[in-house]
């Protein structure tokens, strides 16, 4: 079942609304006229408004239902969607200009400068008392010339006489002074009638003749030649004077209104809701100005557009003053005011102040007749506010949209709701959804106070409240349950969250019960699993879904019904529904733990812990069950009940699915923060250590989420912090961990960087190194060996407690060495920062001198002992690799004798088997590369490889190392090293066996551990080293060609050993070329011409030859499937495996995880 919304009766209207809301904002076109039904002015005073005071408990009813109707003779309909942006009235202070010298005729007098410039040139400030008298106004308004021309009034406002005392005032100050005269208390009704009666004839003449609209010289091409430039300028001048006259009239009306309001406030004769009487002459002037708002839009001449915009702004301000001042017949001043402010607020350039102005007159929208056809365009613009970001982001914009929902028009509510649904589907912005949530909640809350006179028909609810609930809210409630797209259901739920947060209110709870009652219980048992899942979320949001006016017994029955629904969900056949049921049960129990009966609580918990936590069919259900327990543990009241029920969870930590194990560890981390509960009482420590060790083995990621979280859980146990914790305590705990569970210790140290600071890890490295030196010294003492070469410094009072045989501590010492290497590797990048210079210096001091050399020689000597068991050999090799890895991080000059010892080992291991030489010498070669001897190492390996494939020509590359230990003398070298170094410190190195060379090169190319990866990088970056090794490996290609096409078969070695050496060399050459190209970081990687040539040669030459040879000799087939070029140094079950280097004997191209190296 994928139902989305109930079918609409008017699909065409729905599509039109969605298209209008989703369409990009366009610019509206305003009409030439917008008329309304004007009341009879003769009886206006007799018909005083009798319903100014609203009835108790309700809002003020509409004063008049106005129709936005276009006159019969009008030819342009109101369509605000197509007007040019420049035609829209911007929010602006009037830009007027100061009078200049009249040197160019009357037209020159119409050129003004800005008010800002005027203010800078003011000589004297405007007087606080009126400078002009009412007689001056009468003289300008009643002059005979004023009946035919606007010039006298305009000159009075903008062109003072040269002898006037006000000549030093700016235009703005002069205008304010004139307006102050009208505002003054002495300006009574008689004077007002005289003033506005004098302005009315000329104003009517300007409106009827439309003299404010200039004649555009582009309108009639036939008359273009007949009109002179002077005549056109005279027309523009006349239009400008008319427009400025209209502005002066608006100033005078607004000033008169301000004066009346000031008198009202002084006398306190009227309340805020009582309308203020106004004289007919003033109303007549204001009415004509209001009716000119739309026609002024057609004054599009560039020459006067500035004056037109300023005049429109003045008239708009006058209309707003009339409305906010609650003057009589104020409804007649909004029919053109509302559309203009609405259009302006929907522009791309709109500001928040535009929204505020529109919101301040939102009650005026109640007067509009939405049943009239002429209002359709305005209605579409009201719908566009739903998707306007400026409306949704501002408080006033949301108030305005909320008011639209409160209009007594059910069809408008449905249209607004469809527009909101279209916006929800198109986007998932959280802020926008929260804005819609606030709008719906505030609209519904306000509608609860609106009651109809006849309460019996709607059971006490108003029609507006009913319309909002049935046409909007219930549709959302249907969507949140039945939406086919989960993201849509989530978005709708966000809109309804405001109601859920206030469900403790009896009114909200009753509404939720009325609206969700017919939907929720049926959806919980629906056949569609997605509907059941989404219904479980609603069950949590509305719990307990009840009628607040019902009895306690009825509430208990509702709770029982909800618990039964939860049990049905948790026993569902679909895993997703079971997960949703367990989550719903957890949320309800955590919020209503006290209200849910104890027996029902235990039933739900048993289902979660006993059944879901061990669900064999779905790992998602098991993980969700553990997460549910974690949620319940956040409530303190649940601890006493949950504590004895958590015992079975101990086995879930070993679940085969990672997300289940991670959920258990997260639960333990939550328990760790709870006072009175211990995480190791839920899962014992031995299980935690076993799990931590297992996370570092096999295909598990030792630095994955489970291992990192377990390390965080155990960090205080293995590395306690605080001033009272001495280093000896840390050392003793470290030794205990390394002894009891070395695998867990290694995994813990791999994740220590995410739990501990760099300084703490540096201290731990130093402590572990002291432990290693202590154990080495103790073992040497037992073997009666000289220990004078190893410095062992411990602060006073710090003792190491180690219970066990030192002879059997080789594995422990190897683990300590590996832990030191792992920890140092984890903070290697941070130590390069200047802020960690002290930690770096501490480590350099701890590892300087001959400490590393003596410890390395100790384990190397044991490794060369043939009497040791395989396990001891593995431990010795692990320790050697880890120590050399640490040495590579210290400057060579600070370590005494180690370089000389390593070079000496290259010449003194010829009698060791090849497998053990590879394992022993590969870390040595990597260390030499780390110390800047990459080119020497490359020449040495190339010399040993090329001599095997030498043909008729001499392809041998001679190379030797020169012993030069910087900063050290022979006296500072260890005694074991001095025996191996000649007096001239030059060590001639014999060529290595081909198997050893290829094994070492295989380790470096594979990059098994960081030192090998760094050695590979240094070879690839060095042009000399790369070319040297590549040339030596290319010799194998020529040897293969000689073998395939021999001149003399007796001179060619066709043994399996030679074929094997050639195959491994060619493989190493191909890997070297691929790594070289991969260093460029280009994706996709492109093969070099050398690599392409090699692959073509192998495909076309080698493979056919090997196939022919295999057909002739059956024993040769075992070489074709060969994978690992060199076998491990230790065979059998004790095969070498190090957490640092992995399997030192494995140099194959394919890693253990199946990826290419």
């Amino acid at each position: 079942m994928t139902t989305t919304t109930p079918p609409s009766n008017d699909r065409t209207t729905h599509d039109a609304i969605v298209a209008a809301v989703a369409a990009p904002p366009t610019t509206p076109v305003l009409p030439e006229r917008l008329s309304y039904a004007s009341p009879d002015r003769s009886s206006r005073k007799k018909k005083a408004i009798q319903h100014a005071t609203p009835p108790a408990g309700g809002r003020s009813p509409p004063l008049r239902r106005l129709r936005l109707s276009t006159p019969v003779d009008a030819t342009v309909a109101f369509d605000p969607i197509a007007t040019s942006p420049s035609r829209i009235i911007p929010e602006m202070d009037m830009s007027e200009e100061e009078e200049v010298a009249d040197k160019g005729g009357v037209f020159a007098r119409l050129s003004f400068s800005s008010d800002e410039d005027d203010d800078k040139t003011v000589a004297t400030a405007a007087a606080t008392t009126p400078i002009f008298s009412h007689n001056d106004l009468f003289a300008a308004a009643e002059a005979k010339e004023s009946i035919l021309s606007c010039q006298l009034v305009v000159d009075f406002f903008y062109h003072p006489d040269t002898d006037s005392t006000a000549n030093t005032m700016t235009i703005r100050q002069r205008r304010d002074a004139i307006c102050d005269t009208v505002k003054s208390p002495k300006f009574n009704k008689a004077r007002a009638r005289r003033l506005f009666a004098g302005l009315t004839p000329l104003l009517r003449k300007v409106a009827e003749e439309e003299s404010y609209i200039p004649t555009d010289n582009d309108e009639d091409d036939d008359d273009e030649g007949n009109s002179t430039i002077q005549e056109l300028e005279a027309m523009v001048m006349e239009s400008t004077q008319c427009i400025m006259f209209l502005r002066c009239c608006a100033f005078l009306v607004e000033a008169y209104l301000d004066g009346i309001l000031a008198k009202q406030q002084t006398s306190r004769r009227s309340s805020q809701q009582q309308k203020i009487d106004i004289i007919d002459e003033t109303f007549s002037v204001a009415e004509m100005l209001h009716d000119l708002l739309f026609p002024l839009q057609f004054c599009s001449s560039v020459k006067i557009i500035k004056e037109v915009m300023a005049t429109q702004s003045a008239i708009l301000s006058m209309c707003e003053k009339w409305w906010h001042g609650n003057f009589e017949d104020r409804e007649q001043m909004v029919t053109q005011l509302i559309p203009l402010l609405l259009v302006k607020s929907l522009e791309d350039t709109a500001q928040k102040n535009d929204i505020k102005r529109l919101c301040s007159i939102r009650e005026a929208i109640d007067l509009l007749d939405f049943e009239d056809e002429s209002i359709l365009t305005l209605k579409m613009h009201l719908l566009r506010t739903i998707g306007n970001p400026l409306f949704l982001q501002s408080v006033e914009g949301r108030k305005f949209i909320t008011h639209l929902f409160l209009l007594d028009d059910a069809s408008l509510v449905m249209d607004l709701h469809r527009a909101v649904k279209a916006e929800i589907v198109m986007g998932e912005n959280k802020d926008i959804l929260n804005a819609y949530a606030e709008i719906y909640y505030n609209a519904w809350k306000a509608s609860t106070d609106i009651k109809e006179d006849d309460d019996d028909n709607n059971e006490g609810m108003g029609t507006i409240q009913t319309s909002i609930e049935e046409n909007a809210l219930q549709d959302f409630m249907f969507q949140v349950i039945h939406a086919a797209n989960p993201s849509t259901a989530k978005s709708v739920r966000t809109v309804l969250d405001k109601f859920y947060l206030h469900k403790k209110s009896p009114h909200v709870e009753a509404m939720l019960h009325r609206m969700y009652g017919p939907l929720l219980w049926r959806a919980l048992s629906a056949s569609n699993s997605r509907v059941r899942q989404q219904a479980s979320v609603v069950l949590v949001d509305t719990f307990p879904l009840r009628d607040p006016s019902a009895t306690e017994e009825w509430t208990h029955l509702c709770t029982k019904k909800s618990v039964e629904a939860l049990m049905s969900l948790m026993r569902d056949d679909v895993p997703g529904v079971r997960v949703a049921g367990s989550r719903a049960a957890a949320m309800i129990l955590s919020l209503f733990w006290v209200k849910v009966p104890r027996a029902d609580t235990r039933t739900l918990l048993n289902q979660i812990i006993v059944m879901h936590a061990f669900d064999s069919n779905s790992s998602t259900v098991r993980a969700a069950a553990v997460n549910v327990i974690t949620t319940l543990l956040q409530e303190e009241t649940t601890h006493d009940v949950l504590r004895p029920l958590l015992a079975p969870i101990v086995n879930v930590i070993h679940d085969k699915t990672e997300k289940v194990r991670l959920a258990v560890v997260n639960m333990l981390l939550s328990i760790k923060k709870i006072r009175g509960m211990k995480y190791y009482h839920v899962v014992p420590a031995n299980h935690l250590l076993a799990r931590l060790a297992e996370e570092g083995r096999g295909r598990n990621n030792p630095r994955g989420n489970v291992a990192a979280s377990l390390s965080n859980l155990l960090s205080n146990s293995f590395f306690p912090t605080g001033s009272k914790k001495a280093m000896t305590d840390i050392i003793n705990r470290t030794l205990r961990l390394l002894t009891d569970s070395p695998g867990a210790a290694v995994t813990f140290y791999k994740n220590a960087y995410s739990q501990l600071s760099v300084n703490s890890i540096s201290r731990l490295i130093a402590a572990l190194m002291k432990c290693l030196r202590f154990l080495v010294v103790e073992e040497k003492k037992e073997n009666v060996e000289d220990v004078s070469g190893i410095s062992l410094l411990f602060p006073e009072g710090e003792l190491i407690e180690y219970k066990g045989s030192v002879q059997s501590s080789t594995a422990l010492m190897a683990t300590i060495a590996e832990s030191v290497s792992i920890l140092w590797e984890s903070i290697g990048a941070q130590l390069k920062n200047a802020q960690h210079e002290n930690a770096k210096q501490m480590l350099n001091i701890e590892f300087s001198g001959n400490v590393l050399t003596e410890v390395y020689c100790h384990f190397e000597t044991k490794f060369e002992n043939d009497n040791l068991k395989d396990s001891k050999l593995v431990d010795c090799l692990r320790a050697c690799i880890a120590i050399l890895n640490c040495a590579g991080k210290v400057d060579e000059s600070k370590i005494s004798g180690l370089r000389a010892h390593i070079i000496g080992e290259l010449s003194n291991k010829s009698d060791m088997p090849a497998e053990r030489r590879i394992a022993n010498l590969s870390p040595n070669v990597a260390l030499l590369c780390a110390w800047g001897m990459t080119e020497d190492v490359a020449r040495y390996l190339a010399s040993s490889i090329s001599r095997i494939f030498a043909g008729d020509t001499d392809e041998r590359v001679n190379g030797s190392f020169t012993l030069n230990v910087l900063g050290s003398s022979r006296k500072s070298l260890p005694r074991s090293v001095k025996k191996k170094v000649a007096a001239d410190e030059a060590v001639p190195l014999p060529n290595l066996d081909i198997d050893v060379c290829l094994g070492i090169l295989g380790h470096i190319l594979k990059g098994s551990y960081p030192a090998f990866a760094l050695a590979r990088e240094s070879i690839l970056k060095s042009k000399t080293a790369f070319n040297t090794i590549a040339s030596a490996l290319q010799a194998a290609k020529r040897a293969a060609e000689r073998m395939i096409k021999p001149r003399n078969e007796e001179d060619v070695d066709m043994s399996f050993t030679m074929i094997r050496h050639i195959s491994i060399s060619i493989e190493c050459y191909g890997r070297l070329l691929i790594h070289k190209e991969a260093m460029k970081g280009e994706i996709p990687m492109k093969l070099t011409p050398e690599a392409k040539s090699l692959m073509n040669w192998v495909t076309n030459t080698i493979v056919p030859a090997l196939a022919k040879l295999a057909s002739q000799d059956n024993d040769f087939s075992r070489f074709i499937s060969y994978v690992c070029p060199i076998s491990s140094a230790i065979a059998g079950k004790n095969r070498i495996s190090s957490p640092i280097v992995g399997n030192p004997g494995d140099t194959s191209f394919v890693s253990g995880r199946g990826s290419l190296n």
Side-chain angles (χ1 to χ4, degrees), residues 74-381:
T75 57
V76 181
F78 175 62
D79 185 9
I81 297 186
T83 297
S84 159
S86 63
R87 303 270 306 272
I88 305 303
I89 304 170
E91 181 190 356
M92 54 177 286
D93 291 335
M94 240 168 312
S95 178
E96 302 171 348
E97 304 186 351
E98 191 177 15
E99 181 184 9
V100 296
D102 187 9
K103 297 181 181 180
V106 181
F107 184 73
R109 295 206 303 271
L110 300 178
S111 177
F112 305 99
S113 61
S114 64
D115 292 338
E116 290 76 6
D117 296 336
D118 293 337
D119 295 337
K120 296 178 182 178
T121 60
V122 172
T124 59
T128 57
T129 58
I131 298 176
F132 303 96
S133 67
H134 53 273
N135 293 324
D136 298 330
L137 286 172
F138 297 155
E142 296 176 347
K144 294 181 179 180
E145 294 83 354
S146 298
I147 301 176
L148 301 175
S149 175
C150 306
Q151 183 174 349
L152 284 179
V153 177
V154 174
D155 287 347
F156 181 72
F157 266 83
Y158 296 102
H159 307 298
D161 297 333
T162 55
D163 298 334
S164 175
T165 56
N167 194 30
T168 56
M169 299 174 61
T170 64
I171 297 300
R172 181 183 290 274
Q173 289 174 334
R174 181 178 179 85
R175 183 196 69 190
D176 294 342
I178 295 172
C179 292
D180 289 341
T181 302
V182 181
K183 293 178 184 178
S184 66
K186 296 181 180 180
F187 199 82
N188 52 29
K189 288 186 178 181
R191 292 172 178 173
R193 286 192 180 96
R194 182 179 176 183
L195 172 63
F196 292 113
L199 295 174
T200 300
L202 180 58
L203 181 59
R204 182 176 292 110
K205 177 178 178 295
V206 170
E208 291 176 354
E209 296 179 358
E210 297 184 344
S211 55
Y212 52 87
I213 301 178
T215 302
D216 195 346
N217 57 355
D218 293 332
E219 289 183 358
D220 192 353
D221 295 337
D222 296 337
D223 297 336
E224 182 176 2
N226 299 327
S227 300
T228 62
I229 297 177
Q230 290 79 7
E231 292 176 349
L232 294 176
E233 290 182 350
M235 294 177 186
V236 173
M237 178 190 65
E238 182 182 359
S239 299
T240 305
Q241 282 186 340
C242 293
I243 291 172
M244 296 178 68
F245 171 73
L246 298 178
R247 191 192 318 167
C248 295
C249 293
F251 288 156
L252 292 174
V253 173
E254 186 174 1
Y256 179 63
L257 298 179
D258 286 333
I260 294 177
L261 292 175
K263 294 176 185 178
Q264 293 288 337
Q265 293 177 357
T266 303
S267 61
R268 300 180 181 177
R269 289 182 298 180
S270 62
S271 63
Q272 293 181 353
Q273 296 180 348
Q274 181 178 354
K275 287 199 171 183
I276 301 174
D277 192 16
I278 202 76
I279 60 177
D280 291 345
E281 290 78 7
T282 306
F283 177 83
S284 178
V285 172
E287 185 180 31
M288 285 188 287
L289 291 174
H290 168 266
D291 292 346
L292 291 174
L293 279 174
F294 284 171
L296 282 173
Q297 285 295 112
F298 295 92
C299 299
S300 58
S301 177
V302 178
K303 298 179 181 179
I304 64 171
I305 187 63
K306 185 177 181 181
E307 300 299 334
V308 171
M309 295 171 65
T311 301
Q312 280 185 318
S313 181
I315 298 175
L316 284 175
S317 179
M318 179 206 71
C319 295
E320 290 180 89
K321 181 70 70 175
W322 198 293
W323 175 264
H324 295 308
N326 199 22
F327 291 98
E328 192 175 7
D329 284 336
R330 66 173 185 168
E331 60 271 10
Q332 305 299 328
M333 300 298 167
V334 296
T335 54
Q336 295 188 21
L337 175 65
I338 293 173
L340 284 173
L341 292 181
L342 177 60
V343 168
K344 188 175 186 302
S345 64
L346 290 173
E347 286 182 337
D348 293 337
T349 57
Q351 303 294 328
K352 285 188 177 181
N353 192 52
D354 300 327
I355 309 296
K356 291 181 181 179
R357 294 176 66 184
L358 180 63
C359 181
S360 65
I361 63 167
R362 62 185 182 277
E363 291 83 4
I365 302 179
D366 298 346
L367 306 176
L368 303 179
D369 187 1
F370 284 92
E371 296 179 359
D372 190 79
E373 295 180 358
S374 64
I375 206 171
L376 180 59
T377 306
L378 178 63
K379 187 176 180 180
M380 298 304 294
H381 279 76

Side-chain angles (χ1 to χ4, degrees), residues 410-411 413-414 417 466-476:
S411 63
V413 173
M414 295 178 64
H417 178 64
T466 305
S467 176
I468 293 176
E469 289 181 356
E470 295 181 356
N471 297 330
L473 295 183
Q474 194 167 46
D475 182 44
F476 271 155

Side-chain angles (χ1 to χ4, degrees), residues 1-8 11 14 417-418 420-422 424-425 440 471-496 500 515-516 519 523 530-531 533-535 538:
M1 179 177 180
T2 58
T3 310
T4 56
T5 58
S8 173
R11 184 64 185 176
H14 175 266
H417 178 64
R418 292 191 189 103
V420 172
K421 287 171 61 177
I424 291 177
V425 172
Y440 274 91
N471 297 330
L473 295 183
Q474 194 167 46
D475 182 44
F476 271 155
M477 295 172 182
F478 182 86
Q479 285 288 328
V480 81
I481 296 175
H482 295 86
N485 190 346
S487 62
T488 302
K490 183 179 179 181
S491 299
V492 176
R493 181 172 177 264
T494 304
V495 176
L496 294 175
Y500 301 148
M515 297 294 103
Y516 269 123
L519 301 175
R530 185 174 298 281
V531 174
Q533 292 182 47
Q534 294 172 169
V538 175

